[in-house]
Amino acid sequence: MTAAPAINAPALSGVQSLTFAKALTLAMADAMEADPSVVVFGVDVGKLGGVFRVTDGLTSRFGEERCFDTPLAESGIVGMATGMAMNGMRPVVEMQFDAFAFPAFEQITSHVAKTGNRTRGQVRLPLVIRIPYAGGIGGVEHHCDSSEAHYAHTPGLVVLTPSSVADAYTLLREAIESPDPVVFMEPKKLYFTKATVDLDALRSRHSSPADRGGANGVPSSIGRATVLREGTDATLIAYGPSVAPALAAAETAAAEGRSLQVIDVRSLVPFDDDTVNAAVRSTGRVVVVAEAPGFASMASEIAARIQEHCFHSLAAPVLRVSGFDVPYPPPRLEKYYLPGVDRILDAVDRLQWEES
């Protein structure tokens, strides 16, 4: 495939104040600039720039051969991406909303996740499936599902979910550079949050396709959790849309004289047991915070892993604060469903402090 020439290259560089959505846009644009095999497609991602405008400007810059609209047929989108990845392309597809990806679930679980194993590694699928997910935007069911456990449960998929502007850029660039299929979960309520980042420093890790896997000696962020806040009394473990309320809870707890550590998992698969276990052992008390329903969830898996690896370091049972085991509620009830500061701190209070 002959790539259309890039035009109107962005002037953004150095230290910039960016939205989460803009960081994702720049990650795709920079990847497309560096590698002509990267293509972006999905429903309304072209001229419209996507429902959340995350692909805004990519078609005008790279042409309709590199960023284009597709019919409303998610199974066809992922099926086409699979074939393109088999033949040397690096497709990045958007599912528009979390539950809209379910019509493509058979393609994802039966083909995307299994082709590498089925061919003994002879056929790799370097594709990214971008899924805007979770709530906090006043949406309804089918528009605010937290579907990460479905993908994390499926061997053969890498599953990532950033919670910061810097990670939005870095993790998406690394996802595009990965030789394996990545389900990239984007918390919708974070799209228009802002932070100041050094774009030159972020880009320095990805100077050319030859640098894949950790450019300039910088290790990959895939498979690595990060410590966002140090603390000594208990550890809050969160990811994606639940990181902000975990940090807010830690800030409130500090004002009350309690020191809470906050871990951002960010890479659901592969999972960083080392960082999580070290954090748990340092405090002995843990609350896992996640927006998805709690039953058979990612929060359940994290709690189980902690119990298996850190049992003798625990001073109290591992607790979870999650969404309730019901379909996503209507907008007026959303605030009661989502894990917030009060529910997190209530769980912290139940960590058997009286027995310590």
Side-chain angles (χ1 to χ4, degrees):
M1 177 178 177
T2 301
I7 60 173
N8 299 324
L12 290 180
S13 62
V15 177
Q16 296 284 339
S17 177
L18 297 180
T19 64
F20 189 97
K22 185 63 174 179
L24 295 169
T25 308
L26 289 175
M28 286 183 280
D30 289 349
M32 295 170 79
E33 182 73 38
D35 187 348
S37 71
V38 177
V39 293
V40 175
F41 55 93
V43 177
D44 293 331
V45 304
K47 293 181 179 179
L48 180 65
V51 172
F52 298 98
R53 305 299 186 264
V54 176
T55 55
D56 188 36
L58 296 182
T59 296
S60 62
R61 180 177 171 192
F62 294 97
E64 293 184 351
E65 289 187 355
R66 302 277 311 277
C67 180
F68 54 89
D69 294 328
T70 66
L72 182 60
E74 287 81 8
S75 181
I77 293 169
V78 175
M80 182 167 68
T82 302
M84 294 173 76
M86 285 179 173
N87 287 278
M89 304 301 292
R90 287 182 175 266
V92 181
V93 301
E94 181 181 301
M95 291 287 98
Q96 198 170 72
F97 283 96
D98 26 56
F100 292 9
F102 292 148
F105 198 65
E106 191 278 332
Q107 290 279 5
I108 295 170
T109 58
S110 295
H111 304 292
V112 173
K114 294 181 172 64
T115 295
N117 184 72
R118 183 183 298 137
T119 62
R120 299 183 180 181
Q122 295 182 60
V123 178
R124 308 290 288 272
L125 296 182
L127 64 90
V128 178
I129 301 170
R130 292 180 43 245
I131 302 179
Y133 85 117
I137 63 167
V140 294
E141 61 181 25
H142 307 305
H143 296 76
C144 290
D145 286 3
S146 292
S147 50
E148 62 270 23
H150 297 299
Y151 305 107
H153 179 73
T154 304
L157 300 175
V158 173
V159 185
L160 307 176
T161 179
S163 69
S164 69
V165 172
D167 274 353
Y169 180 91
T170 296
L171 287 175
L172 185 53
R173 284 297 303 269
E174 292 186 4
I176 296 170
E177 294 165 0
S178 171
D180 298 311
V182 178
V183 177
F184 196 85
M185 313 290 291
E186 301 171 5
K188 293 189 290 291
K189 70 179 181 182
L190 298 183
Y191 276 140
F192 301 108
T193 59
K194 275 190 171 185
T196 300
V197 297
D198 186 341
L199 282 173
D200 294 339
L202 294 178
R203 285 171 171 149
S204 68
R205 306 182 185 195
H206 313 275
S207 56
S208 73
D211 290 324
R212 287 173 183 151
N216 304 320
V218 178
S220 171
S221 299
I222 294 176
R224 294 178 182 269
T226 183
V227 180
L228 296 182
R229 183 185 179 108
E230 297 288 354
T232 57
D233 292 333
T235 300
L236 304 180
I237 299 175
Y239 59 85
S242 297
V243 170
L247 286 169
E251 190 70 24
T252 300
E256 299 172 354
R258 186 167 282 166
S259 175
L260 301 183
Q261 183 181 42
V262 180
I263 306 297
D264 180 3
V265 173
R266 70 181 181 172
S267 178
L268 305 185
V269 181
F271 188 81
D272 185 358
D273 286 300
D274 290 342
T275 298
V276 170
N277 293 345
V280 170
R281 291 176 182 134
S282 73
T283 65
R285 290 179 169 83
V286 188
V287 176
V288 183
V289 185
E291 190 171 304
F295 187 82
S297 64
M298 192 67 209
S300 302
E301 174 65 19
I302 294 172
R305 298 176 84 89
I306 291 170
Q307 186 274 338
E308 289 174 357
H309 297 147
C310 305
F311 180 79
H312 295 290
S313 299
L314 292 173
V318 178
L319 299 183
R320 294 173 295 157
V321 177
S322 69
F324 301 114
D325 295 325
V326 297
Y328 198 85
R332 289 186 179 181
L333 299 178
E334 187 178 57
K335 63 181 179 181
Y336 302 108
Y337 175 87
L338 299 176
V341 170
D342 289 343
R343 286 178 59 196
I344 295 170
L345 293 181
D346 285 346
V348 171
D349 287 341
R350 298 199 308 273
L351 289 173
Q352 298 185 359
W353 300 98
E354 67 281 2
E355 298 179 10
S356 59

